[in-house]
Amino acid sequence: MTDLLYVHGGTPLSGEITVRGAKNFVSKAMVASLLGETPSELRNVPQIRDVGVVTGLLELHGVRVSADAEGGVLRLDPTDVESAHVADIDAHAGSSRIPILFCGPLLHRLGEAFIPDLGGCRIGDRPINYHLDILRQFGAVVDKRENGIHIRAPRRLRGTKITLPYPSVGATEQLLLTAVRAEGVTELTNAAIEPEIMDLINVLQKMGAIISVDTDRVIRIEGVDRLVGFRHTALADRIEAASWASAALATGGDVYVRGATQPEMTAFLNTFRKVGGEFAIDDDGIRFYHPGGDLKSIVLETDVHPGFMTDWQQPLVVALTQAKGLSIVHETVYENRFGFTDALRGMGATIQVYQDCLGGRPCRFGQRNFSHSAVISGPTPLTAADIEVPDLRGGFSHLIAALTAQGTSAVRGISLIDRGYENFTAKLEALGAKFDRD
Ligand code: EPU
């Protein structure tokens, strides 16, 4: 597929699509398979590039990965785990942030791990200090060299007490994947409790781990000597579901998202309703639609779970350009997640970004020169433009903007969207979107 899409906007999206397992869970469950002594089976796996990247990394470490014909079921056999060549791991540098989560399992299995320069979306600095601190606290030795970070476990890793400065998703996963086989008890305070983390805990429990989650963001893990493989069906991708919901709202459409589930989307559904969107939930999915009339402006703050996810923000902002009045969005998870609004402005949206914490409580980015609040004034008709996809979610937002705009937009760099949206061009077709590939 080429990297350029000509999108002929102005047609409401209408029809049905299916979302499969969550990108931000599936990749971690695949890493967890490294901890088992026997093979694992993961179901409801989407065919997205991130799954390919993790498959490649696992194979480099001797895990045999096979998929069924539709790619929805992965079998992961970690019987012959081995060290990979630094140069081979490095070849994956820049494509994902997942390598950092290999550390705990590899330290247990091999006594060493290597992290290349990490990729992932350019939405802020995205440091890994919490991860390295966690590994050090378990007793690992971290050695930063020119080509990346070399980590060793001189002896069996030991359970520890850790308080995270911020409930980081990745750091919580790092801790879980390391603590389950460490000696003794580990206690994590201020843990992230995203549904994808809860499903990772489900997987680890199936493997033989002992993990309890308290209501106050405290997670306790009793290390065990041995874990076995798991069989598990991944929870649905609530970011993809919300992305299609936002596309339905922005284009004045009606989209049934098969596979979308309510419990993980409560905060999104509340906001969707406040903006003026309607939804209907059944056992198989959620129908999202624009009921007609004006959309309403809102004040919104992104947050860790159970708040409104940062990854929902970018697609929804496009819909807010079509809402009547002034909307305020305060991004409190990433310091730099409004870069995508430049292109929207170029298409006619009225969006101003501010360094202040607008709309609610002060966050850790206030007074620190980060443009992390946006004011969106609408409704503004959008006009077609030539746009370059900046990152995964920002890219999908650009796609929504192009679908909403009158005229033909050229959207470049769409292969970035494949990282996290399975078959998105086939889904666009199913929803009646008009577009051509170059
Ligand atoms: N942070 C640090 N130090 C660290 C780790 C994180 O300061 O060592 C900061 C980050 O800079 C950020 C905040 O903590 O400001 C939260 O980051 P977190 O660690 O929670 O994010 P992540 O684990 O790197 C995952 C998802 C992101 C999603 C966030 C928040 C994956 C592969 N990525 O990232 O997903 O936005 O959690 O829910 O699971 C996406 O799917 O497009 C995406 C970016």
Side-chain angles (χ1 to χ4, degrees), residues 23-24 28 97-98 123 126-131 166-170 239 309-311 333-335 337 364-365 392-393:
K23 162 179 103 63
N24 291 345
K28 326 297 170 59
R97 290 178 60 77
I98 299 297
I123 49 181
R126 307 197 74 182
I128 54 169
N129 52 329
Y130 302 165
H131 294 256
Y166 183 80
S168 150
V169 169
I239 306 178
M309 283 190 96
T310 168
D311 305 276
V333 179
Y334 288 112
E335 69 274 25
R337 217 171 190 182
R364 64 210 163 102
F365 303 137
L392 177 61
R393 308 300 169 193

PDB file of all heavy atoms in Angstrom, residues 23-24 28 97-98 123 126-131 166-170 239 309-311 333-335 337 364-365 392-393, ligand 1:
ATOM      1  N   LYS A  23      -4.422  -2.824  21.144  1.00  0.00           N
ATOM      2  CA  LYS A  23      -2.975  -2.728  20.848  1.00  0.00           C
ATOM      3  C   LYS A  23      -2.166  -2.645  22.137  1.00  0.00           C
ATOM      4  O   LYS A  23      -1.148  -3.322  22.275  1.00  0.00           O
ATOM      5  CB  LYS A  23      -2.717  -1.482  19.994  1.00  0.00           C
ATOM      6  CG  LYS A  23      -1.268  -1.028  19.968  1.00  0.00           C
ATOM      7  CD  LYS A  23      -1.062   0.179  19.088  1.00  0.00           C
ATOM      8  CE  LYS A  23      -0.905   1.502  19.776  1.00  0.00           C
ATOM      9  NZ  LYS A  23       0.239   1.711  20.658  1.00  0.00           N
ATOM     10  N   ASN A  24      -2.636  -1.812  23.067  1.00  0.00           N
ATOM     11  CA  ASN A  24      -1.823  -1.548  24.256  1.00  0.00           C
ATOM     12  C   ASN A  24      -1.936  -2.638  25.323  1.00  0.00           C
ATOM     13  O   ASN A  24      -1.353  -2.520  26.397  1.00  0.00           O
ATOM     14  CB  ASN A  24      -2.163  -0.170  24.836  1.00  0.00           C
ATOM     15  CG  ASN A  24      -1.675   0.930  23.904  1.00  0.00           C
ATOM     16  OD1 ASN A  24      -0.872   0.675  23.006  1.00  0.00           O
ATOM     17  ND2 ASN A  24      -2.161   2.146  24.100  1.00  0.00           N
ATOM     18  N   LYS A  28       1.746  -6.312  25.302  1.00  0.00           N
ATOM     19  CA  LYS A  28       2.272  -6.650  26.634  1.00  0.00           C
ATOM     20  C   LYS A  28       2.024  -8.127  26.957  1.00  0.00           C
ATOM     21  O   LYS A  28       2.868  -8.789  27.566  1.00  0.00           O
ATOM     22  CB  LYS A  28       1.638  -5.790  27.732  1.00  0.00           C
ATOM     23  CG  LYS A  28       1.273  -4.364  27.365  1.00  0.00           C
ATOM     24  CD  LYS A  28       2.444  -3.500  26.992  1.00  0.00           C
ATOM     25  CE  LYS A  28       2.061  -2.156  26.407  1.00  0.00           C
ATOM     26  NZ  LYS A  28       1.270  -1.269  27.190  1.00  0.00           N
ATOM     27  N   ARG A  97       8.019   1.246  21.541  1.00  0.00           N
ATOM     28  CA  ARG A  97       8.547   1.393  22.903  1.00  0.00           C
ATOM     29  C   ARG A  97       8.546   0.075  23.664  1.00  0.00           C
ATOM     30  O   ARG A  97       8.933   0.000  24.813  1.00  0.00           O
ATOM     31  CB  ARG A  97       7.689   2.427  23.673  1.00  0.00           C
ATOM     32  CG  ARG A  97       7.892   3.828  23.154  1.00  0.00           C
ATOM     33  CD  ARG A  97       7.025   4.810  23.879  1.00  0.00           C
ATOM     34  NE  ARG A  97       7.259   4.874  25.301  1.00  0.00           N
ATOM     35  CZ  ARG A  97       8.292   5.490  25.866  1.00  0.00           C
ATOM     36  NH1 ARG A  97       9.182   6.098  25.125  1.00  0.00           N
ATOM     37  NH2 ARG A  97       8.421   5.497  27.173  1.00  0.00           N
ATOM     38  N   ILE A  98       8.074  -0.981  23.004  1.00  0.00           N
ATOM     39  CA  ILE A  98       7.917  -2.257  23.689  1.00  0.00           C
ATOM     40  C   ILE A  98       9.235  -2.867  24.191  1.00  0.00           C
ATOM     41  O   ILE A  98       9.247  -3.526  25.231  1.00  0.00           O
ATOM     42  CB  ILE A  98       7.165  -3.271  22.788  1.00  0.00           C
ATOM     43  CG1 ILE A  98       5.766  -2.734  22.477  1.00  0.00           C
ATOM     44  CG2 ILE A  98       7.064  -4.631  23.434  1.00  0.00           C
ATOM     45  CD1 ILE A  98       4.875  -2.571  23.677  1.00  0.00           C
ATOM     46  N   ILE A 123       5.017  12.480  21.105  1.00  0.00           N
ATOM     47  CA  ILE A 123       3.977  13.267  21.756  1.00  0.00           C
ATOM     48  C   ILE A 123       4.489  13.852  23.058  1.00  0.00           C
ATOM     49  O   ILE A 123       3.721  14.192  23.933  1.00  0.00           O
ATOM     50  CB  ILE A 123       2.711  12.397  21.997  1.00  0.00           C
ATOM     51  CG1 ILE A 123       3.095  11.072  22.663  1.00  0.00           C
ATOM     52  CG2 ILE A 123       1.984  12.153  20.700  1.00  0.00           C
ATOM     53  CD1 ILE A 123       1.932  10.136  22.925  1.00  0.00           C
ATOM     54  N   ARG A 126       8.767  11.439  26.584  1.00  0.00           N
ATOM     55  CA  ARG A 126       8.590  10.013  26.854  1.00  0.00           C
ATOM     56  C   ARG A 126       9.841   9.365  27.449  1.00  0.00           C
ATOM     57  O   ARG A 126      10.431   8.441  26.878  1.00  0.00           O
ATOM     58  CB  ARG A 126       8.107   9.283  25.598  1.00  0.00           C
ATOM     59  CG  ARG A 126       6.879   9.938  25.019  1.00  0.00           C
ATOM     60  CD  ARG A 126       6.147   9.074  24.054  1.00  0.00           C
ATOM     61  NE  ARG A 126       5.404   7.995  24.697  1.00  0.00           N
ATOM     62  CZ  ARG A 126       4.722   7.088  24.026  1.00  0.00           C
ATOM     63  NH1 ARG A 126       4.714   7.106  22.721  1.00  0.00           N
ATOM     64  NH2 ARG A 126       4.062   6.147  24.661  1.00  0.00           N
ATOM     65  N   PRO A 127      10.244   9.860  28.630  1.00  0.00           N
ATOM     66  CA  PRO A 127      11.429   9.310  29.280  1.00  0.00           C
ATOM     67  C   PRO A 127      11.175   7.892  29.804  1.00  0.00           C
ATOM     68  O   PRO A 127      10.030   7.431  29.846  1.00  0.00           O
ATOM     69  CB  PRO A 127      11.657  10.270  30.449  1.00  0.00           C
ATOM     70  CG  PRO A 127      10.340  10.893  30.710  1.00  0.00           C
ATOM     71  CD  PRO A 127       9.584  10.905  29.409  1.00  0.00           C
ATOM     72  N   ILE A 128      12.252   7.198  30.202  1.00  0.00           N
ATOM     73  CA  ILE A 128      12.095   5.844  30.744  1.00  0.00           C
ATOM     74  C   ILE A 128      12.695   5.758  32.152  1.00  0.00           C
ATOM     75  O   ILE A 128      13.037   4.680  32.627  1.00  0.00           O
ATOM     76  CB  ILE A 128      12.729   4.774  29.821  1.00  0.00           C
ATOM     77  CG1 ILE A 128      14.199   5.118  29.520  1.00  0.00           C
ATOM     78  CG2 ILE A 128      11.954   4.630  28.541  1.00  0.00           C
ATOM     79  CD1 ILE A 128      14.950   3.971  28.849  1.00  0.00           C
ATOM     80  N   ASN A 129      12.807   6.933  32.812  1.00  0.00           N
ATOM     81  CA  ASN A 129      13.436   6.949  34.137  1.00  0.00           C
ATOM     82  C   ASN A 129      12.701   6.063  35.143  1.00  0.00           C
ATOM     83  O   ASN A 129      13.332   5.370  35.946  1.00  0.00           O
ATOM     84  CB  ASN A 129      13.558   8.397  34.655  1.00  0.00           C
ATOM     85  CG  ASN A 129      12.255   9.162  34.612  1.00  0.00           C
ATOM     86  OD1 ASN A 129      11.408   8.924  33.747  1.00  0.00           O
ATOM     87  ND2 ASN A 129      12.064  10.076  35.534  1.00  0.00           N
ATOM     88  N   TYR A 130      11.359   6.037  35.093  1.00  0.00           N
ATOM     89  CA  TYR A 130      10.624   5.195  36.063  1.00  0.00           C
ATOM     90  C   TYR A 130      10.990   3.730  35.847  1.00  0.00           C
ATOM     91  O   TYR A 130      11.165   2.965  36.788  1.00  0.00           O
ATOM     92  CB  TYR A 130       9.110   5.318  35.903  1.00  0.00           C
ATOM     93  CG  TYR A 130       8.511   6.689  36.036  1.00  0.00           C
ATOM     94  CD1 TYR A 130       7.198   6.922  35.605  1.00  0.00           C
ATOM     95  CD2 TYR A 130       9.204   7.763  36.595  1.00  0.00           C
ATOM     96  CE1 TYR A 130       6.609   8.167  35.718  1.00  0.00           C
ATOM     97  CE2 TYR A 130       8.621   9.012  36.698  1.00  0.00           C
ATOM     98  CZ  TYR A 130       7.319   9.219  36.251  1.00  0.00           C
ATOM     99  OH  TYR A 130       6.736  10.443  36.352  1.00  0.00           O
ATOM    100  N   HIS A 131      11.087   3.349  34.559  1.00  0.00           N
ATOM    101  CA  HIS A 131      11.389   1.945  34.241  1.00  0.00           C
ATOM    102  C   HIS A 131      12.759   1.552  34.797  1.00  0.00           C
ATOM    103  O   HIS A 131      12.918   0.495  35.411  1.00  0.00           O
ATOM    104  CB  HIS A 131      11.405   1.742  32.719  1.00  0.00           C
ATOM    105  CG  HIS A 131      10.076   1.943  32.074  1.00  0.00           C
ATOM    106  ND1 HIS A 131       9.297   0.908  31.656  1.00  0.00           N
ATOM    107  CD2 HIS A 131       9.367   3.063  31.789  1.00  0.00           C
ATOM    108  CE1 HIS A 131       8.181   1.367  31.126  1.00  0.00           C
ATOM    109  NE2 HIS A 131       8.205   2.691  31.190  1.00  0.00           N
ATOM    110  N   TYR A 166       4.145   9.155  39.268  1.00  0.00           N
ATOM    111  CA  TYR A 166       2.945   9.360  38.454  1.00  0.00           C
ATOM    112  C   TYR A 166       2.473   7.966  38.036  1.00  0.00           C
ATOM    113  O   TYR A 166       3.309   7.097  37.759  1.00  0.00           O
ATOM    114  CB  TYR A 166       3.310  10.203  37.216  1.00  0.00           C
ATOM    115  CG  TYR A 166       2.137  10.545  36.344  1.00  0.00           C
ATOM    116  CD1 TYR A 166       1.281  11.586  36.680  1.00  0.00           C
ATOM    117  CD2 TYR A 166       1.873   9.819  35.178  1.00  0.00           C
ATOM    118  CE1 TYR A 166       0.180  11.888  35.880  1.00  0.00           C
ATOM    119  CE2 TYR A 166       0.779  10.128  34.382  1.00  0.00           C
ATOM    120  CZ  TYR A 166      -0.052  11.163  34.740  1.00  0.00           C
ATOM    121  OH  TYR A 166      -1.144  11.471  33.962  1.00  0.00           O
ATOM    122  N   PRO A 167       1.157   7.735  37.984  1.00  0.00           N
ATOM    123  CA  PRO A 167       0.690   6.373  37.655  1.00  0.00           C
ATOM    124  C   PRO A 167       0.925   6.006  36.192  1.00  0.00           C
ATOM    125  O   PRO A 167      -0.007   5.947  35.385  1.00  0.00           O
ATOM    126  CB  PRO A 167      -0.810   6.408  37.986  1.00  0.00           C
ATOM    127  CG  PRO A 167      -1.115   7.747  38.512  1.00  0.00           C
ATOM    128  CD  PRO A 167       0.051   8.655  38.286  1.00  0.00           C
ATOM    129  N   SER A 168       2.163   5.769  35.849  1.00  0.00           N
ATOM    130  CA  SER A 168       2.542   5.449  34.469  1.00  0.00           C
ATOM    131  C   SER A 168       2.094   4.036  34.094  1.00  0.00           C
ATOM    132  O   SER A 168       2.312   3.083  34.846  1.00  0.00           O
ATOM    133  CB  SER A 168       4.066   5.572  34.355  1.00  0.00           C
ATOM    134  OG  SER A 168       4.582   4.698  33.380  1.00  0.00           O
ATOM    135  N   VAL A 169       1.506   3.935  32.915  1.00  0.00           N
ATOM    136  CA  VAL A 169       1.041   2.639  32.409  1.00  0.00           C
ATOM    137  C   VAL A 169       2.243   1.719  32.198  1.00  0.00           C
ATOM    138  O   VAL A 169       2.312   0.602  32.718  1.00  0.00           O
ATOM    139  CB  VAL A 169       0.266   2.841  31.082  1.00  0.00           C
ATOM    140  CG1 VAL A 169      -0.001   1.516  30.384  1.00  0.00           C
ATOM    141  CG2 VAL A 169      -1.037   3.584  31.342  1.00  0.00           C
ATOM    142  N   GLY A 170       3.220   2.192  31.433  1.00  0.00           N
ATOM    143  CA  GLY A 170       4.374   1.353  31.098  1.00  0.00           C
ATOM    144  C   GLY A 170       5.158   0.947  32.338  1.00  0.00           C
ATOM    145  O   GLY A 170       5.602  -0.199  32.458  1.00  0.00           O
ATOM    146  N   ILE A 239      -9.478   2.403  22.404  1.00  0.00           N
ATOM    147  CA  ILE A 239      -9.015   3.624  21.718  1.00  0.00           C
ATOM    148  C   ILE A 239      -9.513   3.602  20.274  1.00  0.00           C
ATOM    149  O   ILE A 239     -10.025   4.594  19.757  1.00  0.00           O
ATOM    150  CB  ILE A 239      -7.473   3.735  21.732  1.00  0.00           C
ATOM    151  CG1 ILE A 239      -6.947   3.617  23.159  1.00  0.00           C
ATOM    152  CG2 ILE A 239      -7.047   5.044  21.101  1.00  0.00           C
ATOM    153  CD1 ILE A 239      -5.422   3.666  23.272  1.00  0.00           C
ATOM    154  N   MET A 309      -9.251   9.173  28.763  1.00  0.00           N
ATOM    155  CA  MET A 309      -7.911   8.814  28.240  1.00  0.00           C
ATOM    156  C   MET A 309      -7.308   9.876  27.344  1.00  0.00           C
ATOM    157  O   MET A 309      -8.011  10.422  26.489  1.00  0.00           O
ATOM    158  CB  MET A 309      -8.021   7.598  27.312  1.00  0.00           C
ATOM    159  CG  MET A 309      -8.185   6.306  27.919  1.00  0.00           C
ATOM    160  SD  MET A 309      -7.980   5.062  26.602  1.00  0.00           S
ATOM    161  CE  MET A 309      -6.272   4.663  26.813  1.00  0.00           C
ATOM    162  N   THR A 310      -6.022  10.056  27.447  1.00  0.00           N
ATOM    163  CA  THR A 310      -5.315  10.965  26.539  1.00  0.00           C
ATOM    164  C   THR A 310      -5.465  10.531  25.076  1.00  0.00           C
ATOM    165  O   THR A 310      -5.550  11.360  24.183  1.00  0.00           O
ATOM    166  CB  THR A 310      -3.817  11.053  26.923  1.00  0.00           C
ATOM    167  OG1 THR A 310      -3.114  11.714  25.870  1.00  0.00           O
ATOM    168  CG2 THR A 310      -3.178   9.705  27.165  1.00  0.00           C
ATOM    169  N   ASP A 311      -5.525   9.221  24.846  1.00  0.00           N
ATOM    170  CA  ASP A 311      -5.600   8.741  23.457  1.00  0.00           C
ATOM    171  C   ASP A 311      -6.966   8.993  22.810  1.00  0.00           C
ATOM    172  O   ASP A 311      -7.110   8.870  21.603  1.00  0.00           O
ATOM    173  CB  ASP A 311      -5.288   7.238  23.412  1.00  0.00           C
ATOM    174  CG  ASP A 311      -3.960   6.940  24.051  1.00  0.00           C
ATOM    175  OD1 ASP A 311      -2.939   7.065  23.377  1.00  0.00           O
ATOM    176  OD2 ASP A 311      -3.941   6.619  25.258  1.00  0.00           O
ATOM    177  N   VAL A 333      -1.749  14.212  30.653  1.00  0.00           N
ATOM    178  CA  VAL A 333      -0.924  12.993  30.649  1.00  0.00           C
ATOM    179  C   VAL A 333       0.383  13.215  29.871  1.00  0.00           C
ATOM    180  O   VAL A 333       1.462  12.858  30.342  1.00  0.00           O
ATOM    181  CB  VAL A 333      -1.711  11.798  30.066  1.00  0.00           C
ATOM    182  CG1 VAL A 333      -0.845  10.538  30.050  1.00  0.00           C
ATOM    183  CG2 VAL A 333      -2.977  11.557  30.881  1.00  0.00           C
ATOM    184  N   TYR A 334       0.274  13.815  28.693  1.00  0.00           N
ATOM    185  CA  TYR A 334       1.471  14.127  27.896  1.00  0.00           C
ATOM    186  C   TYR A 334       1.608  15.631  27.756  1.00  0.00           C
ATOM    187  O   TYR A 334       0.613  16.335  27.549  1.00  0.00           O
ATOM    188  CB  TYR A 334       1.379  13.509  26.508  1.00  0.00           C
ATOM    189  CG  TYR A 334       1.531  12.014  26.500  1.00  0.00           C
ATOM    190  CD1 TYR A 334       0.462  11.199  26.170  1.00  0.00           C
ATOM    191  CD2 TYR A 334       2.730  11.417  26.847  1.00  0.00           C
ATOM    192  CE1 TYR A 334       0.589   9.818  26.172  1.00  0.00           C
ATOM    193  CE2 TYR A 334       2.868  10.039  26.859  1.00  0.00           C
ATOM    194  CZ  TYR A 334       1.791   9.242  26.521  1.00  0.00           C
ATOM    195  OH  TYR A 334       1.937   7.884  26.534  1.00  0.00           O
ATOM    196  N   GLU A 335       2.847  16.108  27.793  1.00  0.00           N
ATOM    197  CA  GLU A 335       3.065  17.552  27.762  1.00  0.00           C
ATOM    198  C   GLU A 335       2.912  18.142  26.367  1.00  0.00           C
ATOM    199  O   GLU A 335       2.772  19.335  26.197  1.00  0.00           O
ATOM    200  CB  GLU A 335       4.448  17.883  28.341  1.00  0.00           C
ATOM    201  CG  GLU A 335       5.656  17.462  27.513  1.00  0.00           C
ATOM    202  CD  GLU A 335       6.110  16.028  27.770  1.00  0.00           C
ATOM    203  OE1 GLU A 335       5.268  15.210  28.190  1.00  0.00           O
ATOM    204  OE2 GLU A 335       7.302  15.725  27.524  1.00  0.00           O
ATOM    205  N   ARG A 337       0.784  17.050  23.320  1.00  0.00           N
ATOM    206  CA  ARG A 337      -0.090  16.237  22.479  1.00  0.00           C
ATOM    207  C   ARG A 337      -1.071  17.072  21.655  1.00  0.00           C
ATOM    208  O   ARG A 337      -2.100  16.574  21.215  1.00  0.00           O
ATOM    209  CB  ARG A 337      -0.837  15.195  23.304  1.00  0.00           C
ATOM    210  CG  ARG A 337      -0.963  13.907  22.510  1.00  0.00           C
ATOM    211  CD  ARG A 337      -1.495  12.730  23.257  1.00  0.00           C
ATOM    212  NE  ARG A 337      -1.326  11.538  22.412  1.00  0.00           N
ATOM    213  CZ  ARG A 337      -1.706  10.333  22.731  1.00  0.00           C
ATOM    214  NH1 ARG A 337      -2.272  10.111  23.872  1.00  0.00           N
ATOM    215  NH2 ARG A 337      -1.518   9.327  21.901  1.00  0.00           N
ATOM    216  N   ARG A 364       0.886  18.814  36.433  1.00  0.00           N
ATOM    217  CA  ARG A 364       2.343  18.894  36.574  1.00  0.00           C
ATOM    218  C   ARG A 364       3.004  19.614  35.405  1.00  0.00           C
ATOM    219  O   ARG A 364       4.189  19.867  35.427  1.00  0.00           O
ATOM    220  CB  ARG A 364       2.917  17.483  36.785  1.00  0.00           C
ATOM    221  CG  ARG A 364       2.723  16.579  35.620  1.00  0.00           C
ATOM    222  CD  ARG A 364       2.587  15.123  36.034  1.00  0.00           C
ATOM    223  NE  ARG A 364       2.007  14.406  34.910  1.00  0.00           N
ATOM    224  CZ  ARG A 364       2.676  13.643  34.078  1.00  0.00           C
ATOM    225  NH1 ARG A 364       3.950  13.429  34.275  1.00  0.00           N
ATOM    226  NH2 ARG A 364       2.071  13.075  33.072  1.00  0.00           N
ATOM    227  N   PHE A 365       2.229  19.970  34.341  1.00  0.00           N
ATOM    228  CA  PHE A 365       2.833  20.675  33.202  1.00  0.00           C
ATOM    229  C   PHE A 365       2.658  22.190  33.290  1.00  0.00           C
ATOM    230  O   PHE A 365       3.161  22.921  32.444  1.00  0.00           O
ATOM    231  CB  PHE A 365       2.245  20.179  31.885  1.00  0.00           C
ATOM    232  CG  PHE A 365       2.388  18.698  31.679  1.00  0.00           C
ATOM    233  CD1 PHE A 365       1.333  17.943  31.183  1.00  0.00           C
ATOM    234  CD2 PHE A 365       3.580  18.055  31.990  1.00  0.00           C
ATOM    235  CE1 PHE A 365       1.462  16.585  30.995  1.00  0.00           C
ATOM    236  CE2 PHE A 365       3.720  16.687  31.807  1.00  0.00           C
ATOM    237  CZ  PHE A 365       2.655  15.948  31.309  1.00  0.00           C
ATOM    238  N   LEU A 392       0.465   8.335  15.606  1.00  0.00           N
ATOM    239  CA  LEU A 392      -0.646   7.398  15.420  1.00  0.00           C
ATOM    240  C   LEU A 392      -2.022   8.045  15.630  1.00  0.00           C
ATOM    241  O   LEU A 392      -2.862   8.076  14.735  1.00  0.00           O
ATOM    242  CB  LEU A 392      -0.452   6.228  16.389  1.00  0.00           C
ATOM    243  CG  LEU A 392      -1.518   5.160  16.427  1.00  0.00           C
ATOM    244  CD1 LEU A 392      -1.656   4.494  15.070  1.00  0.00           C
ATOM    245  CD2 LEU A 392      -1.169   4.114  17.488  1.00  0.00           C
ATOM    246  N   ARG A 393      -2.253   8.573  16.824  1.00  0.00           N
ATOM    247  CA  ARG A 393      -3.601   9.116  17.116  1.00  0.00           C
ATOM    248  C   ARG A 393      -3.823  10.445  16.413  1.00  0.00           C
ATOM    249  O   ARG A 393      -4.914  10.736  15.939  1.00  0.00           O
ATOM    250  CB  ARG A 393      -3.796   9.281  18.622  1.00  0.00           C
ATOM    251  CG  ARG A 393      -3.490   8.047  19.454  1.00  0.00           C
ATOM    252  CD  ARG A 393      -4.332   6.867  19.100  1.00  0.00           C
ATOM    253  NE  ARG A 393      -3.818   5.651  19.738  1.00  0.00           N
ATOM    254  CZ  ARG A 393      -4.199   4.421  19.420  1.00  0.00           C
ATOM    255  NH1 ARG A 393      -5.098   4.214  18.475  1.00  0.00           N
ATOM    256  NH2 ARG A 393      -3.688   3.378  20.034  1.00  0.00           N
TER     257      ARG A 393
HETATM  258  N1  EPU B   1       6.687   8.951  32.193  1.00  0.00           N
HETATM  259  C1  EPU B   1       7.856   9.393  32.771  1.00  0.00           C
HETATM  260  N2  EPU B   1       8.869   8.466  32.987  1.00  0.00           N
HETATM  261  C2  EPU B   1       8.740   7.172  32.636  1.00  0.00           C
HETATM  262  C3  EPU B   1       7.531   6.719  32.068  1.00  0.00           C
HETATM  263  C4  EPU B   1       6.515   7.641  31.846  1.00  0.00           C
HETATM  264  O1  EPU B   1       7.997  10.569  33.079  1.00  0.00           O
HETATM  265  O2  EPU B   1       9.694   6.392  32.860  1.00  0.00           O
HETATM  266  C5  EPU B   1       5.604   9.931  31.923  1.00  0.00           C
HETATM  267  C6  EPU B   1       5.371  10.097  30.433  1.00  0.00           C
HETATM  268  O3  EPU B   1       6.287  10.996  29.862  1.00  0.00           O
HETATM  269  C7  EPU B   1       3.941  10.587  30.373  1.00  0.00           C
HETATM  270  C8  EPU B   1       3.310   9.884  31.572  1.00  0.00           C
HETATM  271  O4  EPU B   1       4.372   9.435  32.409  1.00  0.00           O
HETATM  272  O5  EPU B   1       3.893  11.968  30.564  1.00  0.00           O
HETATM  273  C9  EPU B   1       2.434   8.715  31.226  1.00  0.00           C
HETATM  274  O6  EPU B   1       3.141   7.807  30.401  1.00  0.00           O
HETATM  275  P1  EPU B   1       2.859   6.237  30.480  1.00  0.00           P
HETATM  276  O7  EPU B   1       4.080   5.571  30.980  1.00  0.00           O
HETATM  277  O8  EPU B   1       1.585   6.021  31.215  1.00  0.00           O
HETATM  278  O9  EPU B   1       2.663   5.894  28.955  1.00  0.00           O
HETATM  279  P2  EPU B   1       3.248   4.670  28.150  1.00  0.00           P
HETATM  280  O10 EPU B   1       3.191   3.438  28.951  1.00  0.00           O
HETATM  281  O11 EPU B   1       4.534   5.051  27.506  1.00  0.00           O
HETATM  282  C10 EPU B   1       0.967   3.848  27.188  1.00  0.00           C
HETATM  283  C11 EPU B   1       0.403   3.674  25.822  1.00  0.00           C
HETATM  284  C12 EPU B   1       0.107   5.029  25.216  1.00  0.00           C
HETATM  285  C13 EPU B   1      -0.875   5.754  26.118  1.00  0.00           C
HETATM  286  C14 EPU B   1      -0.325   5.853  27.547  1.00  0.00           C
HETATM  287  C15 EPU B   1      -1.313   6.469  28.520  1.00  0.00           C
HETATM  288  C16 EPU B   1       1.445   1.658  25.064  1.00  0.00           C
HETATM  289  C17 EPU B   1       2.396   0.990  24.138  1.00  0.00           C
HETATM  290  N3  EPU B   1       1.354   2.966  24.984  1.00  0.00           N
HETATM  291  O12 EPU B   1       2.176   4.567  27.001  1.00  0.00           O
HETATM  292  O13 EPU B   1      -0.512   4.780  23.970  1.00  0.00           O
HETATM  293  O14 EPU B   1      -1.108   7.039  25.611  1.00  0.00           O
HETATM  294  O15 EPU B   1       0.028   4.546  28.022  1.00  0.00           O
HETATM  295  O16 EPU B   1      -2.492   5.728  28.568  1.00  0.00           O
HETATM  296  O17 EPU B   1       0.751   0.998  25.831  1.00  0.00           O
HETATM  297  C18 EPU B   1      -1.011   5.122  21.723  1.00  0.00           C
HETATM  298  O18 EPU B   1      -1.583   4.020  21.753  1.00  0.00           O
HETATM  299  O19 EPU B   1      -1.060   5.900  20.730  1.00  0.00           O
HETATM  300  C19 EPU B   1      -0.231   5.545  22.869  1.00  0.00           C
HETATM  301  C20 EPU B   1       0.608   6.573  22.843  1.00  0.00           C
END
